[in-house]
């Protein structure tokens, strides 16, 4: 199903050669561009990706961290719409259509939610779920938003809003920074139900306590430094 807007999918990956066959198999065939951001992998990540998708564009990350990888991938993207997914198999590419449709229906930023009706997770531990809900509640209190899931990496947005978000962090707190700055910019935000899968192969680089602390600092820092935050309505995509 070809859309009126071009779509780029950005995939940050470091040593994900075993997972990419599954991830790429879920991508819709109407996607215009896939940008793989390689975090200087020491396995066959890039070779496997190019074999699976000959038209792939590869960006070699210049620094470290998921945030930096996504920022460099966003800068390289050529599509009108940018979708960010993970390379570990946790985000299902078959859901991309719902994110794109939310944008075509009028949203500026389509945010995945595991807690919205129809969403879910096979991977969230009780500790991570508790921390996410607490951080989500704090964000809603400080910024007047109505998010249900702050710390989730499945999102899509119109590329023209990159400047408004002005992203500048290196770590896993990138999702929080995007959500906060999208709200500060007054963007129209819609949540899209999403079901998170468990990582297929390998071990996650996520550390709940360390990365939760970084997320908390991001929430507080942005509120202190930020400009006035418009009242941003966050609704469920239709």
């Amino acid at each position: 199903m070809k859309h009126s807007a071009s779509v780029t999918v950005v995939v940050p990956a470091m040593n994900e050669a075993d997972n990419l066959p599954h991830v790429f198999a879920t991508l819709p065939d109407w996607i215009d561009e896939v940008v793989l951001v390689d975090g200087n992998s020491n396995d066959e990540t890039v070779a496997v990706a190019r074999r699976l998708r000959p038209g792939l564009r590869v960006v070699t990350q210049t620094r470290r961290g998921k945030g930096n990888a996504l920022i460099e991938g966003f800068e390289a993207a050529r599509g009108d719409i940018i979708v960010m997914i993970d390379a570990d198999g946790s985000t299902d590419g078959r859901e991309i259509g719902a994110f794109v449709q939310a944008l075509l229906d009028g949203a500026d930023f389509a945010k995945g939610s595991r807690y919205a009706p129809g969403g879910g997770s096979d991977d969230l531990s009780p500790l991570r779920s508790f921390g996410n809900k607490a951080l989500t509640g704090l964000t809603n209190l400080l910024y007047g938003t109505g998010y249900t899931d702050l710390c989730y990496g499945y999102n899509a947005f119109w590329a023209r809003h990159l400047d408004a978000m002005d992203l500048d962090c290196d770590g896993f707190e990138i999702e929080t920074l995007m959500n906060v700055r999208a709200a500060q910019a007054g963007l129209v935000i819609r949540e899209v139900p999403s079901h998170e899968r468990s990582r297929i192969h390998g071990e996650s680089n996520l550390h709940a306590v360390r990365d939760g602390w970084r997320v908390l600092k991001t929430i507080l820092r942005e509120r202190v430094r930020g400009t006035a935050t418009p009242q941003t309505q966050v609704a469920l995509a239709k």
Side-chain angles (χ1 to χ4, degrees):
M1 179 176 59
K2 190 69 175 176
H3 294 286
S4 56
S6 57
V7 178
T8 294
V9 176
V10 174
V11 188
M14 184 173 70
N15 299 329
E16 299 286 7
D18 292 338
N19 292 320
L20 288 180
H22 170 82
V23 173
F24 281 13
T26 69
L27 297 179
D29 57 11
W30 45 261
I31 288 172
D32 297 280
E33 177 183 54
V34 176
V35 175
L36 181 90
V37 186
D38 176 49
N40 295 284
S41 300
N42 53 30
D43 68 356
E44 296 298 310
T45 290
V46 173
V48 169
R50 283 181 165 145
R51 183 170 67 248
L52 292 169
R53 198 170 185 99
L56 179 84
R57 293 181 59 214
V58 175
V59 173
T60 301
Q61 189 174 352
T62 59
R63 291 165 59 181
R64 294 177 61 85
K66 183 180 182 181
N68 172 252
L70 284 170
I71 290 169
E72 294 191 352
F74 296 161
E75 290 174 349
R78 298 169 178 163
D80 301 313
I81 289 172
I82 299 175
V83 184
M84 49 190 272
I85 67 170
D86 292 331
D88 59 5
S90 61
T91 48
D92 188 347
R94 288 166 293 198
E95 295 178 355
I96 289 175
F99 285 84
V100 171
Q101 192 60 54
L103 297 174
L104 294 174
D105 287 343
D108 298 315
F109 188 92
K111 173 176 172 28
S113 174
R114 296 162 290 186
Y115 298 103
S121 177
D122 301 330
D123 188 54
L124 268 176
S125 67
L127 175 62
R128 286 178 56 211
S129 183
F130 173 80
N132 185 20
K133 288 180 179 179
L135 293 166
T136 301
L138 178 61
T139 298
N140 289 338
L141 178 65
L142 293 180
Y143 294 93
T145 49
Y147 293 129
T148 63
D149 190 357
L150 184 71
C151 306
Y152 188 41
Y154 205 162
N155 302 293
F157 54 92
W158 290 98
R160 62 177 179 264
H161 296 307
L162 264 175
D163 288 345
M165 290 188 285
D166 190 25
L167 302 172
D168 56 359
C169 71
D170 289 345
F172 280 98
E173 69 274 17
I174 184 70
E175 293 104 354
T176 296
L177 187 67
M178 294 179 73
N179 295 332
V180 167
R181 291 193 177 169
Q184 287 178 316
L187 301 186
V188 176
I189 301 169
R190 295 289 180 267
E191 288 195 327
V192 177
S194 176
H195 192 102
E196 179 186 37
R197 315 292 175 179
S198 297
R199 166 181 277 274
I200 302 172
H201 299 287
E203 296 183 1
S204 173
N205 293 316
L206 177 68
H207 298 277
V209 175
R210 181 198 66 191
D211 293 315
W213 176 241
R214 293 181 69 162
V215 167
L216 176 60
K217 288 195 295 184
T218 298
I219 294 168
L220 298 177
R221 183 190 67 238
E222 289 297 306
R223 190 65 188 93
V224 171
R225 72 175 282 277
T227 56
T229 304
Q231 287 297 309
T232 302
Q233 299 298 317
V234 179
L236 188 66
K238 296 179 180 179

